[in-house]
Amino acid sequence: MARERVVVVGNGMAATRLVEELVARPGADLAITVVGDEPGPSYNRILLSAVLEGTHPASEIALQDEGFHRDHGVTLLTGTRVAEVDREAREVVLEDRRRLPYDRLVLATGSIPTLPPIRGLVSPDGRLHPKVHAFRSLTDCHRLLGAVPDARRAVVVGGGLLGLQVARALSVRGLEVDLVEGTSHLLSSQVGEQAGAVLRQSLHRLGTEVHTHSRAVRLTDEGLRLDNGYTLPTDLVVLTAGGRPATALAKRAGLYVRRGVVVDDRLRSVTDERVHALGDCAEHRSRTTGFVPPAWEQASVLAGVLAGEDRTYDGSRVVARLRATGLDVAVMGDPERTEGEVVEVANPVTGSYRKVVVRGGVLEAAVMVGDLSRVGLLTQLFDRRTVLGRAEPGMLLMADPPAVRAALPDDAEVCACAGVSAGRVRACADLAAVVATTRATTGCGGCATTVRELLGNPDGLVPTR
Amino acid sequence: MVEQVEGTRTHCPYCSLQCGMQLHRRGRETTVAAWEEFPTNQGAMCRKGWTSTALLRDRERITTPLVRDPATGTFRAAEWDEALDLVASRLADLQRRHGHDAVAVFGGGGLTNEKAYSLGKFARVALRTSQVDYNGRWCMSSAASAGTRAFGLDRGLPFPLRDIEHTDVLVLVGSNLAETMPPAARHLDALRRNGGKVVVVDPRRTATADRADVVLQPVPGTDLALARGVLHAVVAGGWVDQAYVDARTTGFEQVRRDVATAWPELTERVTGVAADDVRALARMLGEAENVIVLTARGAEQHAQGSDTVLAWVNVALALGQCGKLLSGYGCLTGQGNGQGGREHGQKADQLPGYRSIEDPAAREHVAGVWGVDPAGLPGRGRSAYELLDAIGADGGPKGLLVFGSNIVVSAPNAHHVSGRLDALELLVVADFVMSETAARADVVLPVTQWAEETGTMTNLEGRVILRRRAVSPPQGVRSDLEVLAGLAGRLGAPAGFDTDPERVFDELRRASAGGPADYAGISYARITDEHGVFWPCPADDHPGTERMFLDRFAHPDGRARFHAVSHRGPAEQPCGDYPLYLTTGRVLAQYQSGAQTRRIRELGDEGAFVELHPMVAARVGVGDGEEVRVRTRRGTMRAPARVSTTIRPDTVFVPFHWVGANQLTNDALDPASRMPEFKVCAAAVEAASDGPVGGVADADASTGAADGLPTIRPRSARPPARPATAAPSASPLATSASAVDAAVTSPCAADADATPGGVDG
């Protein structure tokens, strides 16, 4: 029997993980072809804002290059666009009219940025205005980085996660940055007004002005005009106001598409069982995610499905984590729309806001802004669906109590190596006597400070654990 | 002033630090004194060392071979000849009926080099079985496997321990050395006095963490993901030593691409360590001139333990640290002879000198030393857990000889393993007390211990040292070497088995000559004169190798190898029924399976405990000191709660020195090292308020009740030689499991134990 032919459209993070998972399965004898429209090897898109910020070198974001694909017998076509999918013939048609036959087709086309309705963004010749930048691909990132040295001011359009990261990155690069957000507050699709206000305050302290309830309406030579009449003078306009699943190809092929390509629990198109979709372009149980970890979980499941394993995908817990110097945000689940008991602590004075949503003892959603001291633990509890005790949600939001200093009782062990109590140390005249009669301090040496304190100030306070 | 008489210079019987000490004999008493000149510990010792001679006057010593009477199921005393005749004839009979591999041999990482060597030789030459392995498989095999793959050679520390005082940043991953080898912690303080920094990575904020500058508390089983995250941040920060990578390593490009997916926020989600802490550690390492990374059991005892070590080795290599002075990667080996014990042939896949049993040249060399035909040497056998698991299965062992290990306490999923032992047709245990494992044996052979014998050990530094006989063994006791020689003769072995340790060592030197762990140039005299000799030492005039890899690594091309490793996570994840992580480890006053230490009154055996965070304590409704029940898919135990903020709130900790902890642990194995996943599994904790504190068996304690010997096989473990007045020294707080054991087996079983067996923490 001929090897089953798998064609993957897209060479982003989901596609790359899928190929890695497939070639790691020695039992899966598949002829894999990957078609990506971006030039060059796949890369970690998550790191683009860090590249922009300068905290991650552009040379260090590549994932797998041609060598990897060659070594594993995978055909990789980069810089190649897919024109059509001929489901009848089971062929992918490339822009140069080449046709790639498939037995299984995987759509990993990701998402594309949406252009907000701002007049002047596009020149009469159909190109973006030279000041205007999208921020989705490595090419976008390089173009923007190229423009930064000659720019003094920038306006970021869109106050979501990406907008905040880009605004911080440009600010770290030394630009004066304004951020324009159409809704009432920052991160409005993830958090409530209070958290948004704290974020806005933090950004203000970091030198970035935030304009909420404001829509950019026109780009002119004077700057970017807002619907409230203000014009923000600027050298750069970066559009981060959201993206949408890239589904044009799927739609033209007659696959059922709502927001994304609608797939079942085996990540198969509900229209055609030979077509799969994963990552940003897929819609599973009415949800599209736009995050990498769910896409990777889907890649693992889909690799299993393609290899003939009985695997299903039943959704992911989502943690959104802002990466930007000086701005600490973590959002778990959907805190604004999840039903449950809410515990929240806001401290605008210190710029922190924390909230957890608990249902049946389980942490179903959370927001942390400004103070992420327990983020590691909260994430674990969220991901593991740990059933918490009644007091725990509150305890999780409070700071640790300060360490106590109390007098050690005579029977407290101060030297574990020699098994010596505080009382025996107190009974000694000096350190030499302690060493001679108890051997305290001669083992690991860890009790030396405590012993000295006990000798010098027998009734005083010493730290306890 | 009493005149100080020169004592016998020897070493502590416990951990891999092998502290130098002097033993003084005064009448019937033997006392411990410091041996200031010995460089590794310079006279410092912990209470285990200071009290170690208490074992020499222990009344529970077995002093005569014991044979189980098939009619009554009880032990009776036997003469040595009778016992050895019986064992030899039954071994021969089993092998005649079922083939050579029907008999298996199980050794220990506490045995001297001479014993470990003779045991491997005995298995291959006298029994001709491939089925030989040892409890070191459960100790540092993951580090050994990783070290061999990365550097071409595994020596726990490639430098003397004191070097850590002069590095810039020391990273301890999964080591609580302040409790497991306390005198070693002095080096941490010295390092900090010298201006260096100490980083501790451990789910618990341990006594070691108290002496650190940076403490990271990752989720159990995620040290690998943390290492990948740190390397990502090292790459991002531009701290890769590219000139070193180009000149001395291979494989970095793949690792560089691989860690591009391990950005700090993702690392935070997996490990529970905040992204900023990951970046800060990378910066600290990247800006340091010298970095040392040391792993121990906390990082290694996982189903992905060897990959975890490789991930940290990758960090050290990328920073250009390995094979450089005061820098590099090392493993803090656990058992007393954990290093030497893995080098000389008691491992399923190895021959003396750390040679592969599948290498034709190695087989020819060793067979030549032994005077046998290389074609007659068996091949690679099963690893420790797989060997025990195969008992009773088709083609599995029918007879088992155990030397220096207390399997019943130290094996993972110990309840299952106990059942396997009961499926044996013949179990022979050589030990010096009635351990939990000996109590299940058909024949118990009483052997010498520590201060009663001479032999070499190889400490955690790769320093070969000499344990010297300081006192005479009790009447009726024989050395392990004598036992092996006696059995080999009766089995008609084609090679001789010497009983004099120094002559055995001379044979070991010849067998190891030319191998990776080459002892050819090491002699008892040189060890004495030089305070130990570091291997490899191929010739009498070779100085030994204190520091390794300074010029080249041991792979044929001289380069170290990067390995791209992915994080799979623990084999068992918390879930609704078992919502917490369970991890295990050691406490200062005890050693391994409780071995000698539970029997030493001065060490104060307070029994097991369950360490848990106040949040978990409140969740399950228990206070400090109250009984809790810990359940996993494999077993249940009960012990008092120890409530502490020093542990992660999603994790509970149980020390493994007592029966109980390992009835909970998971037997998922590392694919490379065959290390079981002792350090993480999913567990449930609940208040055990339905019974009195300690003492009484849990109604649902599958570990306790089902572990009782009579329900499986009617064997009474009580040796007739034991004085009837002996009372259990376990405190009332002993776990229910050990209490059950005590009730079922003998009044002493709860505190009787084996030679330094078991796993290390």
Side-chain angles (χ1 to χ4, degrees):
Chain A
M1 202 180 87
R3 292 202 297 171
E4 195 165 62
R5 294 160 300 187
V6 176
V7 173
V8 182
V9 181
N11 189 30
M13 298 188 73
T16 301
R17 179 54 63 94
L18 174 68
V19 172
E20 288 170 348
E21 290 264 358
L22 284 173
V23 301
R25 286 173 161 79
D29 188 21
L30 304 169
I32 305 167
T33 303
V34 177
V35 187
D37 59 355
E38 292 188 53
S42 61
Y43 56 88
N44 187 341
R45 203 178 299 279
I46 292 289
L47 299 175
L48 288 181
S49 61
V51 170
L52 183 64
E53 196 180 280
T55 50
H56 198 96
S59 58
E60 304 292 354
I61 68 168
L63 295 176
Q64 300 292 3
D65 61 11
E66 292 84 348
F68 168 84
H69 294 84
R70 196 173 48 240
D71 292 347
H72 291 93
V74 175
T75 306
L76 174 64
L77 307 174
T78 55
T80 304
R81 284 179 185 282
V82 172
E84 301 296 341
V85 172
D86 184 344
R87 291 202 289 123
E88 198 88 342
R90 281 196 234 141
E91 288 176 335
V92 167
V93 185
L94 305 181
E95 261 190 345
D96 60 9
R97 309 322 295 173
R98 272 188 296 163
R99 299 174 80 89
L100 304 175
Y102 66 81
D103 300 300
R104 300 274 172 186
L105 176 66
V106 177
L107 298 176
T109 49
S111 63
I112 48 175
T114 45
L115 285 190
I118 303 173
R119 286 158 74 189
L121 279 190
V122 182
S123 310
D125 63 359
R127 292 164 185 257
L128 276 183
H129 188 286
K131 285 184 177 175
V132 177
H133 295 258
F135 195 76
R136 171 72 192 167
S137 67
L138 185 57
T139 311
D140 295 338
C141 183
H142 281 311
R143 179 167 167 261
L144 182 54
L145 272 174
V148 162
D150 298 325
R152 202 167 62 78
R153 296 162 167 276
V155 177
V156 174
V157 178
L161 283 168
L162 186 62
L164 289 172
Q165 290 179 175
V166 169
R168 276 303 293 148
L170 293 174
S171 182
V172 167
R173 290 274 182 184
L175 274 64
E176 278 180 41
V177 181
D178 288 279
L179 190 149
V180 179
E181 165 60 35
T183 69
S184 61
H185 61 280
L186 293 169
L187 279 190
S188 59
S189 58
Q190 267 108 8
V191 307
E193 294 214 19
Q194 243 186 322
V198 169
L199 263 175
R200 177 187 184 139
Q201 221 175 25
S202 308
L203 269 180
H204 177 75
R205 267 199 289 266
L206 292 164
T208 295
E209 284 313 309
V210 177
H211 310 266
T212 52
H213 280 304
S214 306
R215 287 175 205 286
V217 291
R218 181 167 200 151
L219 180 63
T220 68
D221 290 345
E222 283 75 46
L224 189 66
R225 189 190 301 163
L226 308 184
D227 61 355
N228 58 15
Y230 281 107
T231 294
L232 304 173
T234 187
D235 305 309
L236 295 175
V237 176
V238 189
L239 306 175
T240 65
R244 54 185 171 80
T247 54
L249 194 64
K251 276 183 190 157
R252 286 204 302 277
L255 298 170
Y256 182 45
V257 174
R258 279 194 300 240
R259 185 168 159 76
V261 181
V262 179
V263 293
D264 64 13
D265 289 354
R266 288 188 167 75
L267 300 165
R268 293 179 304 203
S269 158
V270 294
T271 316
D272 184 341
E273 63 172 23
R274 289 186 174 274
V275 180
H276 299 264
L278 84 166
D280 290 5
C281 71
E283 179 176 327
H284 173 259
R285 297 187 192 170
S286 305
R287 287 182 66 186
T288 56
T289 69
F291 292 99
V292 172
W296 281 353
E297 286 167 36
Q298 291 171 353
S300 171
V301 171
L302 181 53
V305 168
L306 293 173
E309 299 162 18
D310 185 20
R311 296 281 301 273
T312 55
Y313 175 73
D314 56 2
S316 302
R317 296 284 243 196
V318 172
V319 177
R321 189 69 169 79
L322 191 75
R323 301 174 46 91
T325 301
L327 215 52
D328 293 316
V329 181
V331 182
M332 295 161 212
D334 189 352
E336 289 308 293
R337 279 162 284 271
T338 298
E339 286 184 20
E341 294 160 313
V342 173
V343 186
E344 60 188 327
V345 177
N347 187 343
V349 179
T350 59
S352 77
Y353 173 86
R354 305 208 272 179
K355 162 176 166 172
V356 294
V357 183
V358 179
R359 196 169 61 224
V362 174
L363 184 62
E364 294 290 354
V367 181
M368 310 177 82
V369 176
D371 179 356
L372 264 54
S373 54
R374 287 227 180 82
V375 67
L377 176 59
L378 277 169
T379 311
Q380 289 294 318
L381 298 173
F382 170 74
D383 278 340
R384 306 261 164 256
R385 297 176 161 89
T386 308
V387 180
L388 303 173
R390 284 167 51 83
E392 286 180 77
M395 290 162 79
L396 285 167
L397 297 188
M398 303 309 288
D400 284 323
V404 264
R405 285 175 68 86
L408 282 178
D410 271 353
D411 62 356
E413 186 177 86
V414 294
C415 172
C417 288
V420 182
S421 65
R424 287 179 64 199
V425 173
R426 286 189 175 109
C428 295
D430 54 24
L431 188 60
V434 171
V435 170
T437 62
T438 71
R439 293 201 190 103
T441 75
T442 69
C444 75
C447 62
T449 307
T450 307
V451 167
R452 271 195 298 272
E453 287 194 45
L454 284 171
L455 289 171
N457 181 11
D459 303 315
L461 298 180
V462 294
T464 62
R465 287 216 304 148
Chain B
M1 180 119 189
V2 180
E3 189 189 349
Q4 188 69 21
V5 186
E6 184 77 349
T8 304
R9 286 178 170 182
T10 188
H11 298 270
C12 175
Y14 304 114
C15 79
S16 66
L17 203 59
Q18 287 292 296
C19 289
M21 58 163 60
Q22 302 190 63
L23 295 184
H24 293 275
R25 195 76 203 266
R26 286 196 190 82
R28 289 178 48 95
E29 288 300 303
T30 308
T31 55
V32 178
W35 174 11
E36 308 278 354
E37 295 78 26
F38 186 71
T40 308
N41 62 307
Q42 298 167 289
M45 273 180 279
C46 77
R47 64 208 285 185
K48 296 195 291 290
W50 287 112
T51 58
S52 54
T53 54
L55 210 56
L56 295 171
R57 46 183 152 79
D58 196 281
R59 292 193 305 161
E60 290 169 31
R61 223 27 215 286
I62 312 170
T63 53
T64 173
L66 301 172
V67 175
R68 191 179 299 278
D69 186 320
T72 64
T74 56
F75 281 130
R76 62 174 175 79
E79 295 298 318
W80 270 101
D81 278 341
E82 181 199 353
L84 293 177
D85 286 347
L86 175 71
V87 170
S89 68
R90 293 206 51 194
L91 292 175
D93 177 57
L94 282 173
Q95 292 194 312
R96 204 162 34 243
R97 287 191 284 131
H98 304 289
H100 289 128
D101 281 358
V103 172
V105 176
F106 202 95
L111 300 176
T112 62
N113 289 322
E114 290 78 357
K115 293 185 200 177
Y117 166 82
S118 294
L119 193 63
K121 177 182 173 185
F122 175 80
R124 273 64 178 253
V125 174
L127 291 173
R128 299 183 63 184
T129 179
S130 68
Q131 302 298 300
V132 52
D133 214 51
Y134 79 128
N135 65 21
R137 185 73 72 176
W138 302 336
C139 190
M140 52 278 140
S141 63
S142 286
S145 160
T148 303
R149 283 192 280 165
F151 307 121
L153 183 62
D154 151 50
R155 198 183 86 185
L157 290 181
F159 40 70
L161 186 62
R162 288 188 66 188
D163 276 11
I164 67 178
E165 295 182 1
H166 303 287
T167 191
D168 295 315
V169 181
L170 173 70
V171 185
L172 295 168
V173 190
S175 166
N176 182 13
L177 57 76
E179 287 196 78
T180 58
M181 45 177 75
R186 302 185 82 86
H187 300 301
L188 305 188
D189 298 343
L191 167 62
R192 297 176 76 194
R193 278 197 301 276
N194 292 337
K197 302 278 188 213
V198 176
V199 179
V200 167
V201 179
D202 194 314
R204 302 163 64 217
R205 197 182 170 95
T206 60
T208 309
D210 285 348
R211 314 161 83 133
D213 301 280
V214 175
V215 180
L216 302 181
Q217 290 187 257
V219 172
T222 64
D223 293 328
L224 193 166
L226 182 63
R228 290 180 77 239
V230 169
L231 185 50
H232 173 99
V234 163
V235 170
W239 292 302
V240 173
D241 185 342
Q242 194 61 48
Y244 170 95
V245 167
D246 292 342
R248 299 205 57 187
T249 72
T250 60
F252 182 57
E253 277 315 304
Q254 202 191 338
V255 169
R256 177 199 295 264
R257 280 195 302 277
D258 176 64
V259 299
T261 57
W263 65 94
E265 287 76 14
L266 185 70
T267 301
E268 167 188 291
R269 182 161 180 194
V270 176
T271 66
V273 174
D276 282 347
D277 292 343
V278 175
R279 290 192 187 92
L281 176 56
R283 172 171 294 277
M284 182 187 254
L285 299 180
E287 291 178 346
E289 174 69 28
N290 298 109
V291 174
I292 288 178
V293 178
L294 302 179
T295 63
R297 307 302 83 69
E300 299 161 11
Q301 288 179 325
H302 294 277
Q304 53 177 7
S306 52
D307 279 359
T308 301
V309 173
L310 286 172
W312 284 98
V313 168
N314 286 346
V315 173
L317 285 174
L319 292 164
Q321 297 292 337
C322 300
K324 185 173 100 173
L325 275 179
L326 309 177
S327 310
Y329 164 79
C331 155
L332 292 166
T333 293
Q335 296 193 70
N337 197 27
Q339 182 68 49
R342 67 190 191 246
E343 298 165 358
H344 298 297
Q346 62 175 330
K347 224 172 159 181
D349 49 358
Q350 278 172 3
L351 290 173
Y354 226 139
R355 289 179 155 96
S356 165
I357 201 165
E358 290 174 335
D359 172 8
R363 293 169 66 88
E364 188 162 344
H365 172 83
V366 173
V369 174
W370 290 347
V372 298
D373 178 6
L377 294 180
R380 169 198 289 254
R382 292 184 181 90
S383 76
Y385 184 79
E386 290 163 307
L387 187 156
L388 298 174
D389 193 39
I391 293 169
D394 215 23
K398 306 257 189 293
L400 180 67
L401 302 176
V402 179
F403 285 78
S405 185
N406 188 8
I407 295 167
V408 169
V409 179
S410 64
N413 197 4
H415 173 52
H416 170 72
V417 166
S418 300
R420 295 296 83 216
L421 293 182
D422 289 332
L424 286 165
E425 290 184 32
L426 176 68
L427 174 61
V428 179
V429 175
D431 214 322
F432 55 87
V433 290
M434 184 56 65
S435 73
E436 286 86 347
T437 306
R440 303 177 104 90
D442 298 287
V443 180
V444 181
L445 303 173
V447 289
T448 50
Q449 60 158 321
W450 171 57
E452 300 159 359
E453 61 189 25
T454 292
T456 60
M457 308 280 278
T458 305
N459 80 353
L460 79 172
E461 307 168 284
R463 187 197 304 258
V464 184
I465 55 175
L466 190 57
R467 164 189 285 189
R468 287 181 185 78
R469 176 166 161 161
V471 300
S472 302
Q475 283 288 321
V477 162
R478 293 191 181 179
S479 76
D480 303 68
L481 296 178
E482 288 167 340
V483 171
L484 291 173
L487 288 175
R490 285 170 173 79
L491 290 165
F497 284 80
D498 217 309
T499 59
D500 174 67
E502 190 163 6
R503 284 201 300 270
V504 173
F505 186 74
D506 286 340
E507 186 183 313
L508 180 160
R509 292 167 64 185
R510 293 197 301 280
S512 75
D518 192 331
Y519 282 39
I522 305 175
S523 64
Y524 280 19
R526 279 193 65 182
I527 295 172
T528 305
D529 292 345
E530 301 169 30
H531 289 330
V533 180
F534 290 84
W535 70 258
C537 180
D540 292 343
D541 59 355
H542 186 285
T545 312
E546 262 192 305
R547 296 178 182 84
M548 305 187 69
F549 311 136
L550 294 179
D551 301 317
R552 65 192 311 279
F553 295 98
H555 284 301
D557 61 4
R559 288 167 176 263
R561 293 183 186 161
F562 281 92
H563 293 262
V565 287
S566 54
H567 174 69
R568 298 181 298 276
E572 200 173 78
Q573 292 285 354
C575 59
D577 293 337
Y578 301 98
L580 296 163
Y581 294 98
L582 169 72
T583 191
T584 64
R586 285 158 58 174
V587 297
L588 192 147
Q590 301 293 330
Y591 179 66
Q592 307 296 68
S593 71
Q596 300 96 321
T597 51
R598 276 192 273 142
R599 317 173 62 244
I600 293 179
R601 190 158 307 146
E602 295 93 315
L603 292 178
D605 179 359
E606 293 178 352
F609 56 87
V610 180
E611 185 175 298
L612 71 174
H613 193 273
M615 279 170 55
V616 178
R619 197 187 298 165
V620 302
V622 295
D624 191 52
E626 292 176 9
E627 285 274 291
V628 293
R629 187 185 291 115
V630 184
R631 289 185 292 116
T632 72
R633 290 183 173 86
R634 293 154 296 280
T636 304
M637 72 170 278
R638 251 172 70 163
R642 189 172 289 184
V643 179
S644 167
T645 55
T646 57
I647 190 166
R648 289 183 59 90
D650 53 11
T651 303
V652 294
F653 167 86
V654 178
F656 61 60
H657 309 290
W658 294 267
V659 171
N662 276 326
Q663 301 192 333
L664 306 173
T665 51
N666 196 350
D667 54 6
L669 300 184
D670 183 296
S673 66
R674 317 312 285 167
M675 167 74 81
E677 190 143 85
F678 287 104
K679 280 294 183 277
V680 59
C681 66
V685 174
E686 59 223 5
S689 50
D690 51 345
V693 172
V696 182
D698 246 1
D700 64 342
S702 60
T703 57
D707 200 34
L709 301 169
T711 61
I712 296 167
R713 188 172 172 182
R715 288 170 166 174
S716 161
R718 177 126 182 221
R722 175 88 45 82
T725 51
S729 73
S731 82
L733 295 185
T735 69
S736 64
S738 50
V740 168
D741 239 271
V744 172
T745 57
S746 81
C748 308
D751 65 338
D753 208 325
T755 48
V759 298
D760 167 57

